[in-house]
Amino acid sequence: MNGDKLVSRAYQPFATIVDNIKPDQLDAATPCAEYDVRKLVNHMLFWGPSLEAAGRKETVPPPAESEADVDLTAADWSGDLVAQLNRTVAAWSRPEAWQGVASMGGPHEIPASMVGGMVLGELVIHGWDLAQATGQQATWDEDVLAFTFAEVAANAETGRQMGVYGPEVAVPADAPLLHRILGVTGRRPD
């Protein structure tokens, strides 16, 4: 199945998780070593416009030099995140978004399909991170997980070199797809 058909299906569970985060959980630790819930939400709000623009073949530079330089979680962070991801999902739900090349705000272009895979990965992996931090269950359908696993497995070494993924965690080959995705990205499914 094509990524453009899966991005909204990856988003629905993520949106439910965000809707159920309570304000007193923003300081909860996530499986991402350097992020608590607030910092992970800030990360997604920081990169959201760039991911959205990439799906439209536009270039929008990030709002600051680094995500640590700006706090985007003031006011209605939940509404802001849902609105941003709705726009990102709309951009990547078009087949043409996945064709050719795209930019994440810098001068370098990369295959658009790789950026689209990143969008799906953000929704699944960071959705799981947020669910773990806030005591929720995270579930996605098998088509979404199969596509996401193929994307993260194909780009895992590049992700590790960029510091996006940690060292791979051994997960049995017959483990559920979500667990295999988590292991490839350096997370412990348990």
Side-chain angles (χ1 to χ4, degrees), residues 113-165:
S113 60
M114 182 181 288
V115 179
M118 290 167 47
V119 170
L120 276 159
E122 290 273 301
L123 294 170
V124 172
I125 298 161
H126 288 326
W128 182 85
D129 292 333
L130 291 171
Q132 289 297 125
T134 59
Q136 299 182 59
Q137 291 295 317
T139 57
W140 286 268
D141 69 52
E142 288 297 306
D143 289 338
V144 168
L145 294 175
F147 190 94
T148 303
F149 178 72
E151 288 296 312
V152 298
N155 298 302
E157 286 309 312
T158 301
R160 275 188 262 293
Q161 292 169 4
M162 295 171 58
V164 176
Y165 298 151

Side-chain angles (χ1 to χ4, degrees), residues 85-102:
L85 288 173
N86 277 324
R87 292 188 301 270
T88 302
V89 166
W92 286 98
S93 292
R94 302 171 312 116
E96 58 271 20
W98 294 76
Q99 299 167 0
V101 295

Side-chain angles (χ1 to χ4, degrees), residues 45-56:
L45 286 167
F46 182 86
W47 288 106
S50 295
L51 290 170
E52 174 192 350
R56 293 195 174 113

Side-chain angles (χ1 to χ4, degrees), residues 6-105:
L6 296 173
V7 71
S8 66
R9 288 166 51 188
Y11 172 63
Q12 293 310 313
F14 183 94
T16 300
I17 292 163
V18 169
D19 285 344
N20 289 309
I21 297 173
K22 295 167 185 54
D24 65 345
Q25 294 176 314
L26 287 172
D27 295 324
T30 71
C32 291
E34 59 278 347
Y35 293 126
D36 60 13
V37 171
R38 181 185 315 278
K39 287 180 183 170
L40 185 52
V41 168
N42 193 67
H43 164 77
M44 296 195 79
L45 286 167
F46 182 86
W47 288 106
S50 295
L51 290 170
E52 174 192 350
R56 293 195 174 113
K57 307 294 193 232
E58 299 168 354
T59 301
V60 176
E65 186 68 28
S66 89
E67 59 193 79
D69 295 338
V70 62
D71 180 7
L72 302 171
T73 62
D76 182 19
W77 63 267
S78 177
D80 292 345
L81 183 57
V82 167
Q84 177 58 66
L85 288 173
N86 277 324
R87 292 188 301 270
T88 302
V89 166
W92 286 98
S93 292
R94 302 171 312 116
E96 58 271 20
W98 294 76
Q99 299 167 0
V101 295
S103 171
M104 289 287 300

